Amino acid sequence: MMKTTLTQLTLAVLLALGLSACGGGSETMAADAASTLAAGAGTGASTGPRAKALSAALAAPAAATAAVDATEAARQLMDFAEVTFPGYFPPHPATLSAEPFSFRYYPDTGAYLGVVTAAGTPYVHNGIYVMGGPFGAAPVLVGQVTDFITPVANYSLALSADRTPVQQGSTATLKATLTRQNGFTGPVQLVLDGLPAGVTSNVITIPAGSSTADIRLSAQTSAPHSLPTVARLRAVNGSDVLHQAVTVTVRGAPGDIDTSFGGGVNITPVGYEDYANAAAVQADGKVIVAGSSTMPTGTFVSLVRYRRDGGLDTSFGTDGKVVTQVGTRSDAAAAIAVQPDGKIVIAGASDQLTSGLDFLVLRYNADGSLDAGFGSGGKVTTAMSGDTDRAWAVAIQADGKIVVAGESNSGSTSGIDFALARYNSNGTLDAGFGSGGKVITPLKSNTGRDSIYALALATVAGEQRILAVGGDGDFQAARYLPDGSLDAGFGNGGKVMALFTSSIGGARGVTLLPGGQAVLAGAINNDFAAAQLTANGTLDTAFGNGGKFVQGVVPTNWDSATAVVRQADGKLVLGGWAYSGNSSAGDFAALRLLPNGTLDASFGTGGIVIHPTAAGTKGDQAHGLVLQADERVPTVRAIQAGEANGSNHDFSLIRLWL
């Protein structure tokens, strides 16, 4: 049972302490926290001014102690703290134990909350300790469990899930299971408070002698998309109140723009003219977009980082933006990858004057500064030939080596060819790959154009092999062994050509399947297209029409897929652009395929969505597409990045519900 007056007073004291705390909190492993708490207990750590202030606030008669297991009482206390003080203890980390403590660590705030569950130790039995974050580096004893709650011994409650999304105009159901204890047989009422706007729940009673009930959450059709919202479930029987946190999120239908992501459409000007070519998601959910921006002295590489739920991440670069000049006239980023250590790798092209356009590779630290341990001050340029070279794709191998791929102009010998370079983790060329770290592969005869636009690292026979896809006129692919030689077990001598026997189109993205297949996506005859290859490079006839799929997003105009991602359920999302109506002004576009290569009718309208991000009839085009997981909902959504034409072209970013 909650002690209302005491809780309000304690909250005021905690807020005062949080504002005045000068400690920065601990970043140690959670297991080390118990040792730190133990070291401070009984040594004066709980006798400072903050502890005394809390002691005064807690100077109220303690409630009668219920016959509740100490670990269960600690869990109830920590659940209560999360519901009552979510700013300090955001739900819901795991409960850990290290004698004599039961405790939780809250990485978002740096705070630890622990309860002493064993008697006969130097620590206060049932004592509550806080430390880290706003509470400072030393542990503080803030009272005992019964100063805050009366542990409920008559029953406990479990939900089928502690997080659930509910779609606009729909209902989600949680099953509540009541475990009765100590002979209790009475009714228990379940009430949910603090739900997102537009969401209601039924108020139900689990009758005497019963143990289960369904909690139905209903979202109005007009309910706004919400960020994950922690609601409070109360299980009430007379003076006994059990509190449990449940996270509820209002979501849109598959294919809808998520308006909880920075308002829906995130437009970001960087320079005079800005073009976003690629996107990546960090482990913390933040989104990085890379491309080029025209500045007063030339066109340079530009990056923008967004917070997990949209809006610029001001901890990155300058107010969320980074602009990097490499050459004297023109630089552009075409691809991006994030290393496991959080460093950011960019691939593109730089005009080096005497050698023309060359491969460009940049590596940044997590804060947006260039990584001085890579190349020359974080920058590497590589001339693949004596003519024009452009990198369009990048991948990070398991051993940390960096593969960059694109095109190189071999002139009258073979035209524009597939080109790859592999770099060691310090930015030097890997001499064990190809010739001095470089590989150039002609696919078409004579002087045709062969360009790599996407890479995937396929594990074959226990080793990572490099799958490169692209083409100009039709889909092309080549697979390479770790040393850079063509993989003879793929296609025809390592190459796959003319999948659609087309002269207009090419592959722009690739994703791998668990069975070793690969799905290539792009355009054929100015329509969205995809092809699924078996592990040996032949068309997989279980997909689409003989292994191929072609769909006009706008049947009377041009459209193109520029990227593809695979959901955990096997569905494929192709993202790109479409010219709407009879104009040449593009819009963001996407479609979703079932695993068998047919349109998924549950996505958008008949499997297709078109989303203008520029005002009126002005053009916008999407290039990057990446999945963003969110354990808070839980869900996975798709991020599309490109540019929108306002008074000038600016970075444009949206998030789609899947």
Side-chain angles (χ1 to χ4, degrees):
M1 178 176 65
M2 180 175 64
K3 300 184 177 180
T4 305
T5 303
L6 181 59
T7 297
Q8 292 171 343
L9 177 59
T10 303
L11 177 58
V13 174
L14 282 173
L15 288 174
L17 292 177
L19 291 172
S20 62
C22 58
S26 173
E27 295 297 331
T28 59
M29 297 295 292
D32 295 334
S35 300
T36 306
L37 286 170
T43 63
S46 61
T47 61
R50 291 179 293 177
K52 291 178 180 178
L54 280 169
S55 297
L58 297 170
T65 302
V68 179
D69 176 77
T71 301
E72 172 61 17
R75 183 194 68 79
Q76 292 182 26
L77 181 282
M78 288 185 277
D79 286 348
F80 165 80
E82 292 175 2
V83 171
T84 310
F85 311 118
Y88 296 95
F89 312 115
H92 182 329
T95 301
L96 306 174
S97 62
E99 291 295 337
F101 287 95
S102 180
F103 69 100
R104 293 176 184 173
Y105 170 57
Y106 300 87
D108 288 348
T109 62
Y112 296 90
L113 175 63
V115 177
V116 179
T117 56
T121 74
Y123 321 116
V124 177
H125 185 215
N126 291 322
I128 305 165
Y129 291 83
V130 294
M131 66 175 286
F135 305 111
V140 178
L141 174 65
V142 299
Q144 293 181 268
V145 170
T146 53
D147 293 326
F148 289 83
I149 64 169
T150 299
V152 178
N154 287 332
Y155 51 86
S156 62
L157 187 70
L159 294 177
S160 55
D162 61 2
R163 296 160 290 176
T164 185
V166 55
Q167 186 171 314
Q168 292 168 309
S170 300
T171 298
T173 301
L174 294 172
K175 180 173 288 295
T177 301
L178 190 74
T179 300
R180 300 176 181 275
Q181 301 165 156
N182 299 331
F184 172 72
T185 60
V188 176
Q189 186 182 52
L190 303 181
V191 183
L192 259 175
D193 300 318
L195 290 166
V199 178
T200 57
S201 72
N202 56 326
V203 178
I204 60 174
T205 297
I206 299 178
S210 297
S211 60
T212 61
D214 287 339
I215 302 171
R216 293 186 299 277
L217 303 171
S218 299
Q220 300 171 2
T221 303
S222 59
H225 298 172
S226 74
L227 295 176
T229 302
V230 179
R232 181 177 66 175
L233 175 64
R234 291 182 288 125
V236 183
N237 173 262
S239 61
D240 287 342
V241 181
L242 187 150
H243 300 271
Q244 185 157 339
V246 58
T247 300
V248 179
T249 306
V250 179
R251 61 157 294 156
D256 285 354
I257 291 179
D258 179 5
T259 55
S260 73
F261 183 73
V265 178
N266 291 247
I267 302 293
T268 306
V270 181
Y272 298 140
E273 289 285 332
D274 310 308
Y275 295 89
N277 297 319
V281 171
Q282 297 182 170
D284 59 5
K286 293 180 179 179
V287 182
I288 311 170
V289 178
S292 65
S293 293
T294 301
M295 311 301 285
T297 56
T299 299
F300 307 124
V301 169
S302 53
L303 286 77
V304 176
R305 190 164 72 190
Y306 299 85
R307 299 189 300 268
R308 173 156 68 168
D309 294 310
L312 292 173
D313 175 14
T314 56
S315 69
F316 183 76
T318 302
D319 295 327
K321 308 173 187 178
V322 170
V323 176
T324 303
Q325 178 179 358
V326 180
T328 58
R329 293 186 303 189
S330 178
D331 309 310
I336 183 171
V338 180
Q339 296 185 171
D341 62 2
K343 293 184 178 181
I344 303 158
V345 179
I346 300 296
S350 176
D351 188 345
Q352 294 295 294
L353 295 181
T354 55
S355 58
L357 284 173
D358 291 338
F359 274 23
L360 170 65
V361 189
L362 305 173
R363 192 165 72 189
Y364 297 86
N365 297 309
D367 63 0
S369 61
L370 283 164
D371 178 9
F374 182 80
S376 176
K379 308 173 184 178
V380 172
T381 59
T382 302
M384 301 295 290
S385 66
D387 207 317
T388 298
D389 310 309
R390 292 184 177 90
W392 299 109
V394 63
I396 310 297
Q397 294 187 168
D399 60 6
K401 293 181 179 181
I402 299 166
V403 181
V404 174
E407 63 187 42
S408 180
N409 191 346
S410 300
S412 59
T413 305
S414 55
I416 296 174
D417 299 324
F418 272 23
L420 302 91
R422 191 167 71 192
Y423 301 87
N424 298 308
S425 60
N426 63 1
T428 58
L429 283 165
D430 177 11
F433 182 76
S435 175
K438 308 175 189 178
V439 170
I440 295 177
T441 307
L443 273 75
K444 291 180 183 176
S445 59
N446 301 320
T447 58
R449 178 168 185 165
D450 310 316
S451 301
I452 298 171
Y453 291 106
L455 289 171
L457 299 174
T459 300
V460 181
E463 64 182 13
Q464 277 195 324
R465 300 183 186 180
I466 302 165
L467 177 62
V469 307
D472 184 71
D474 204 335
F475 281 24
Q476 297 175 330
R479 195 167 74 191
Y480 298 86
L481 299 173
D483 64 1
S485 60
L486 284 166
D487 179 0
F490 181 80
N492 183 6
K495 306 176 185 179
V496 172
M497 303 280 291
L499 287 175
F500 290 87
T501 62
S502 169
S503 61
I504 301 175
R508 296 295 182 266
V510 62
T511 190
L512 299 176
L513 277 60
Q517 306 98 316
V519 176
L520 286 59
I524 290 296
N525 295 321
N526 299 309
D527 289 329
F528 270 53
Q532 183 164 304
L533 300 180
T534 64
N536 62 13
T538 60
L539 281 168
D540 184 352
T541 57
F543 178 86
N545 183 7
K548 298 178 282 188
F549 166 87
V550 179
Q551 175 69 46
V553 171
V554 179
T556 59
N557 212 330
W558 292 2
D559 47 76
S560 175
T562 55
V564 59
V565 293
R566 181 184 181 273
Q567 298 178 198
D569 60 5
K571 293 181 179 181
L572 300 162
V573 181
L574 280 64
W577 54 266
Y579 288 163
S580 296
N582 295 317
S583 74
S584 59
D587 290 323
F588 281 33
L591 60 77
R592 188 163 72 182
L593 300 178
L594 298 173
N596 65 3
T598 59
L599 282 167
D600 177 8
S602 70
F603 182 82
T605 301
I608 298 171
V609 294
I610 298 176
H611 292 300
T613 66
T617 59
K618 292 189 175 182
D620 48 272
Q621 290 191 346
H623 305 290
L625 177 70
V626 64
L627 293 177
Q628 182 196 43
D630 190 341
E631 76 289 349
R632 302 169 301 170
V633 178
T635 193
V636 175
R637 287 165 284 201
I639 301 285
Q640 274 192 290
E643 64 274 345
N645 186 5
S647 55
N648 299 97
H649 287 91
D650 298 318
F651 279 18
S652 181
L653 192 69
I654 62 174
R655 184 165 72 184
L656 300 180
W657 292 103
L658 297 178

